[in-house]
Amino acid sequence: MPIVSFAVRRSRSLSRLLAAISALLLILSPLPISAAPDDSAPDQAMSTISADAIRADMRFLADDALEGRGTATRGHELAAKYMATRFEGMGLQPAGDNNTYFQSVPVRSLRTDVAKSSFAVTRKGSPLSLSSHVDFIIEPDPVRPEVSVDAPVVFAGFGVTAPDQQYDDYKSLDVKGKIVALAQGAPNFPSSIKAHYSAAEVKAKTAADHGAVGVIALDDPVSEAIYPFSKFVRDLTNPEFRWLDKDGHPNDYFAQIRAVAYLSIPATRQLFEGSGHSADGIFKGAKEGKLSTFPLPVTANIHTVTESKDLRSPNVVAKLEGSDPILKGEYLVYTAHLDHLGIGEPLNGDAIYNGALDNASGSATILEVAQAFAHMNPRPRRSILFVSVTGEEAGELGSEYFAHFPTVAKHSIVADINIDEVFMLYPLTDVIAFGAEHTSLENVIQRAAKRMGIVESPDPMPEQTVFIRSDQYSFVKQGIPAVMPSPGFKSSDGSKKAWDIAMKWMDDTYHEPNDDMNQPNLDFAAAANFARFTFLCGYYVTQDTPRPTWNIGDFFGDQYAHLAR
Ligand SMILES: [Zn+2]
């Protein structure tokens, strides 16, 4: 059973206090509050949400004809046209570029030229025996076609500098001009703060800030169990991507970092030989969240040759205008990524990664939520944007681009509700709201759960860093309160059945060609119930006069809220 950390519980009760204050403000507010709350309105709207419609939308989006909806492919373009067509049919307005339903996202596709690139590590003059795609992966450089680095290697623990947590792996290290080798993850901070500090781009920036010139990420048994090194190698059949800003600069690029590589477990073992520290000791320390730091007796020479191509891929943006004369100038955003992995390495003769749960399910969900809102009369008070984002699998690109360059004023966006991978594999009994503990959205989640007769469960797998692994995080980093509700893992009979089904799915089906419509257990009634829950969360956000707020003293609010003002 999951352990609820003290910090999470503390912030939950804080948000309850804030909710009580908001409720009080609502009573005292001079702003018009919607006419007598007709409590049946959301029930009527929710009754239009249908399991059949979710199944039908998923069946189209996950069809082989769409070839796995890879970012910047024809399959994804067709899927985007489908989403736009459905929104248009509901009477939603275009809210992308130039009065269209599409926001064109400039992206750069990147591949390492494996034949021309090299990675060599030497200890006391003799080379370690390492081979490409077995022992290491060299990441492409987002700007330089060819770049090299030759430097000593320092083990910098997790590579985390977190003043807010009084923690610094670089405290007694000199990494100037050196390459840092980093364990996966972060110390045992509260779940979403741990997730934030585990992010590769945060670690790369931290390394650059301390003067490092290269990063070598190290695999370990915990990461291997979540997503094996062999799958990273397999996924190299598809390019990597970055999004480009208005000046053509790629996101999260730190020119000072001249190489990024990823080492397998056997290669990691070789790296620690002769250092006085065993790899097993490091793996154990990483798991427990406690690592020492020390120079390794090795130097690394990494030469990276990158092939790149600049392309475009669409976000789909549709608007339902609100009914309140003032609040209609503010927007709730629903996001769900439409892209998946495209065509890749075949498994049992099937090379199409259909992405039925990941994320045709979330795409179908926001379509049903949109039509439920579109049926309401009067319409919800605030306006709503439905954004079907591209490039999530390639690094949350479409949502980052939208959050940086929204098609409405950034400060007018009050919240993001993101849906990714609806676990529609058993009846809906509970929900998990990733990231809700940071904002007053926690209150919205609890009201929606109560109305649906389901319970809210804490994040049962903080090591999976779910909070940073989908599109809600892009909004958080722009200071916008965001949450990813997800079906939980409880069974109504109290057994572990649902949990076991979900974990088996993670092992056998997640990011595999068999995440398609033929998989057993798809429970469309559960998906419809979850869509109703998702609708209700948004309904409360659109109706409540005060907009969602960051909790006082919240880590993410303190860091990012100013960006949304
Ligand atoms: Zn995915």
Side-chain angles (χ1 to χ4, degrees), residues 337 339-341 358-359 392-393 420-421 510-511:
H337 78 84
D339 65 290
H340 191 54
L341 300 171
D358 188 8
N359 187 28
E392 189 271 349
E393 303 288 8
D420 188 2
E421 266 176 49
Y510 172 72
H511 282 201

Side-chain angles (χ1 to χ4, degrees), residues 7-23 433 435-447 456 549-554:
V8 171
R9 271 186 280 134
R10 186 183 51 190
S11 54
R12 287 239 163 92
S13 54
L14 176 64
S15 74
R16 263 198 293 275
L17 174 67
L18 287 172
I21 295 169
S22 323
E437 68 271 26
H438 302 287
T439 67
S440 60
L441 290 170
E442 173 65 40
N443 168 261
V444 164
I445 296 284
Q446 287 181 6
R447 280 151 75 196
E456 187 196 358
T549 51
W550 290 98
N551 293 344
I552 292 162
D554 181 76

